Amino acid sequence: MTRFKHDILIIGSGAAGLTAALHLAPFSKVGVLSKGSLTAANTFYAQGGVAAVLDEGDSVEAHINDTLIAGGGLCREEAVRFTVENGPDAIRWLIQQGVGFSREIHQDGRREYHLTREGGHSHRRVIHAADATGFAISSTLIDKVQQQENVSLFESRVAIDLITSQKLGLRGKRVFGAYVLNNETHEVEVHEAKFVLLATGGASKAYLYTSNPDVATGDGIAMAWRAGCRVGNMEFNQFHPTCLYHPEARSFLITEAIRGEGGLLKLPNGERFMDRFHDMGELAPRDIVARAIDHEMKRLGVDCLYLDISHKPKEFIKSHFPTVYDRCKSLGIDISQEPIPVVPAAHYTCGGVLTNLDGRTDLGGLYAIGETAFTGLHGANRMASNSLLECMVFAISASKDIRNLLNQAPEIPAIPDWDESQVTDSDEAVVISHNWEELRRFMWDYVGIVRTDKRLQRATHRVNLLKQEILEYYGNFKVNNDLIELRNLLQIAELIIRCALSRKESRGLHYTLDYPDTMQEAKDTLIVPGNYAADAWAD
């Protein structure tokens, strides 16, 4: 069996994982796993930008306050302040790496970075690279990390499970690496590490309609849960209000910045409707906009609504939104002349693996950053463009903490090979594809934008049946990529449903017809695996 030994194993190649790799490379041997190519991450597809206080007219307190309001009273203020205060330095670091953020030329000849405004923000504070910010960040960081001698990059790898002291029959609660499937050779590898950093992104592929790429299957959250880590606030799934509705436009996001620059949401008859739902209109927080669109679609019995930016000059549209313009034009939609058909789609996982401000989880040596983590920043609803900011800030924070602990890490014990002696090649792959489709459809129908206890109970019943089926399948056949992802998504679905059933109120992204009011006291939903008794908050 092929084995690799690292000081730090980073699972995920998005903004969080690559930022951590670059900060750790000068001090340690780092391995980075990517499920596909290095671009196989949500970061690569992000359009909008990164929120940070960069303008003299803006303030840290304003950004904090906007985030707290968007979070529906559930944000951990310490985490919000930590993120916002460290935001400008994170942006400056990205600029130093060479990220080409968009600039504007003032009448007096000054060239400054262009800041746009998105939903929930009281100021223009979103720095961006046209409407392809994720591509700009991802390509820059990939280029930088490929130049690092201390970083080993492993593409086409999917982590199966973490290797822990408990699994090895040892005392303590610590991680020592991961079993990893090489999708090219179909061999299971052992990746030993003193520290493991989960940067696997979110879990929006649990839903039928999503803006996320196929890799967003919640792997890190599921693995951490199985390893004994607490998970929190999984009921808060953000549905992006505006994904392109077109049979050939699978998972294509229409950036919120279009609304920030004056785009209007309209009914099929051309009538605006957002003013009926919120005094900020199109710039209301995402949960409100998504519910409003969902409500109007169901009320009218239509398949989509429309986002109209055609009242702006064509050159303005093409220069600010070239990616959206070109993609829509390729599908026969000229957004400078006609509105864009849009629908909501699962977009972001606000909950995740419980961490402190250094990214530490409940398991020694295991860190979680980015969308995988539950830091308390987002509360009940993530404010636009705070996600990439969180990736940078917590990747840097976790890297500093790991660096300080490197010399204190225990020796890695003997780790056995992956045992395939009792399994065979599957002759029923159709089971995986059918179960995958069923899972995503009932999650969309029963655990979507609007919920009820009855719908959630139906979903629970379906998850339990599928888990039993897949558990038997997992025990009898050799692992493959689809089986690993389905196993993880079933675990994620169960966590989402459990959290949703336990919240007897409507707050932020969790809206239930059975409990439409919001409780006076805001509490996180924390769940603990098995009989594992967690100590203090990620000490």
Side-chain angles (χ1 to χ4, degrees):
M1 180 166 287
T2 306
R3 289 174 176 267
F4 299 94
K5 183 169 285 189
H6 319 282
D7 291 322
I8 300 125
L9 176 65
I10 298 174
I11 305 177
S13 61
L18 296 181
T19 297
L22 289 171
H23 280 83
L24 289 164
F27 316 103
S28 53
K29 297 289 185 181
V30 180
V32 177
L33 305 183
S34 179
K35 288 175 80 171
S37 67
L38 291 177
T39 60
N42 273 336
T43 299
F44 187 78
Y45 301 93
Q47 295 178 15
V50 192
V53 178
L54 302 169
D55 182 74
E56 291 182 359
D58 197 3
S59 70
V60 165
E61 295 304 321
H63 191 175
I64 291 172
N65 190 56
D66 291 345
T67 301
L68 293 175
I69 292 172
L74 205 59
C75 299
R76 294 179 181 266
E77 189 166 352
E78 180 187 22
V80 176
R81 183 170 294 279
F82 178 81
T83 307
V84 172
E85 288 180 345
N86 287 282
D89 284 342
I91 298 299
R92 284 188 280 270
W93 179 80
L94 284 175
I95 292 171
Q96 289 169 3
Q97 305 313 302
V99 177
F101 291 115
S102 297
R103 294 176 181 262
E104 60 180 346
I105 302 176
H106 293 268
Q107 291 182 346
D108 58 7
R110 288 181 297 114
R111 293 183 73 247
E112 293 185 341
Y113 290 107
H114 180 263
L115 303 177
T116 191
R117 184 183 170 197
E118 295 182 352
H121 291 277
S122 58
H123 292 77
R124 284 181 172 265
R125 64 168 68 98
V126 180
I127 191 169
H128 61 101
D131 62 348
T133 307
F135 172 81
I137 291 174
S138 182
S139 56
T140 300
L141 297 184
I142 288 172
D143 181 62
K144 287 290 183 181
V145 83
Q146 287 175 332
Q147 300 173 33
Q148 303 297 315
E149 291 184 4
N150 272 357
V151 178
S152 299
L153 302 171
F154 299 87
E155 297 181 304
S156 297
R157 302 303 207 282
V158 56
I160 304 170
D161 260 325
L162 298 172
I163 301 168
T164 65
S165 50
Q166 183 182 20
K167 288 184 180 179
L168 298 176
L170 303 174
R171 290 184 177 181
K173 295 179 292 188
R174 190 169 183 89
V175 69
F176 294 108
Y179 288 112
V180 176
L181 176 66
N182 183 328
N183 273 325
E184 293 181 348
T185 66
H186 308 293
E187 177 192 11
V188 177
E189 303 168 344
V190 176
H191 285 255
E192 302 177 10
K194 298 175 182 177
F195 295 88
V196 176
L197 202 159
L198 298 172
T200 57
S204 288
K205 287 298 286 188
Y207 288 93
L208 184 61
Y209 301 110
T210 174
S211 65
N212 289 192
D214 289 340
V215 296
T217 52
D219 303 328
I221 301 171
M223 286 191 294
W225 171 260
R226 290 194 293 266
C229 293
R230 287 172 293 172
V231 167
N233 283 12
M234 290 296 291
E235 69 270 38
F236 298 115
N237 312 101
Q238 187 173 75
F239 290 81
H240 197 287
T242 55
C243 281
L244 181 60
Y245 180 75
H246 191 283
E248 298 175 28
R250 184 167 170 263
S251 301
F252 186 75
L253 180 75
I254 303 298
T255 174
E256 187 161 325
I258 285 185
R259 285 180 281 134
E261 295 296 335
L264 303 174
L265 286 165
K266 295 181 178 180
L267 302 176
N269 65 1
E271 176 190 346
R272 287 183 64 197
F273 61 91
M274 273 309 304
D275 288 341
R276 301 202 308 269
F277 293 90
H278 197 276
D279 56 11
M280 292 182 73
E282 277 77 7
L283 290 177
R286 284 180 176 173
D287 60 321
I288 295 170
V289 179
R291 277 204 305 276
I293 293 174
D294 182 69
H295 172 83
E296 292 298 314
M297 286 172 58
K298 289 176 178 175
R299 181 178 70 84
L300 297 171
V302 295
D303 293 328
C304 67
L305 297 186
Y306 296 89
L307 177 59
D308 193 358
I309 190 72
S310 64
H311 52 279
K312 291 284 189 178
K314 185 172 185 176
E315 287 308 311
F316 174 90
I317 295 170
K318 292 180 69 175
S319 64
H320 280 72
F321 310 111
T323 304
V324 174
Y325 179 85
D326 290 342
R327 181 66 174 130
C328 289
K329 195 67 183 290
S330 73
L331 297 169
I333 304 168
D334 184 348
I335 69 173
S336 69
Q337 302 293 323
E338 58 187 315
I340 308 165
V342 294
V343 292
H347 183 60
Y348 192 86
T349 306
C350 287
V353 184
L354 193 67
T355 74
N356 69 0
L357 297 183
D358 291 322
R360 292 193 200 182
T361 70
D362 291 320
L363 193 63
L366 181 67
Y367 290 71
I369 55 176
E371 195 174 351
T372 307
F374 163 41
T375 63
L377 169 64
H378 304 303
N381 182 22
R382 177 181 71 91
M383 191 167 69
S385 291
N386 270 352
S387 51
L388 283 173
L389 180 68
E390 181 186 36
C391 287
M392 309 302 167
V393 168
F394 283 88
I396 295 169
S397 175
S399 300
K400 290 178 180 177
D401 195 59
I402 292 172
R403 178 186 172 188
N404 291 335
L405 296 173
L406 263 175
N407 294 330
Q408 304 172 30
E411 290 297 315
I412 298 173
I415 296 175
D417 288 348
W418 180 257
D419 185 5
E420 289 189 330
S421 61
Q422 304 297 315
V423 297
T424 61
D425 288 318
S426 170
D427 58 355
E428 295 181 334
V430 68
V431 172
I432 301 299
S433 59
H434 282 188
N435 286 359
W436 181 288
E437 184 176 346
E438 181 181 352
L439 168 69
R440 297 181 67 204
R441 183 165 292 280
F442 75 65
M443 284 295 290
W444 182 263
D445 290 340
Y446 299 150
V447 200
I449 296 173
V450 178
R451 301 162 178 173
T452 67
D453 279 354
K454 189 173 183 179
R455 293 174 189 172
L456 294 173
Q457 287 158 2
R458 284 175 177 164
T460 300
H461 177 66
R462 297 307 308 152
V463 162
N464 289 338
L465 290 175
L466 290 182
K467 276 188 69 178
Q468 184 176 353
E469 196 168 301
I470 293 304
L471 183 64
E472 181 182 348
Y473 196 99
Y474 184 81
N476 291 323
F477 300 113
K478 290 182 180 180
V479 293
N480 59 45
N481 187 84
D482 290 346
L483 175 58
I484 293 167
E485 290 187 333
L486 179 58
R487 177 185 181 228
N488 288 335
L489 276 178
L490 278 166
Q491 183 62 74
I492 292 297
E494 182 185 47
L495 294 173
I496 293 172
I497 296 163
R498 281 182 59 183
C499 287
L501 277 169
S502 68
R503 185 168 292 279
K504 306 301 183 184
E505 63 167 350
S506 289
R507 184 184 296 273
L509 300 166
H510 175 73
Y511 186 79
T512 169
L513 296 176
D514 293 321
Y515 309 97
D517 298 326
T518 301
M519 289 183 177
Q520 192 168 3
E521 183 180 7
K523 291 183 178 180
D524 292 320
T525 307
L526 301 181
I527 50 178
V528 181
N531 295 320
Y532 172 72
D535 298 321
W537 168 280
D539 283 341

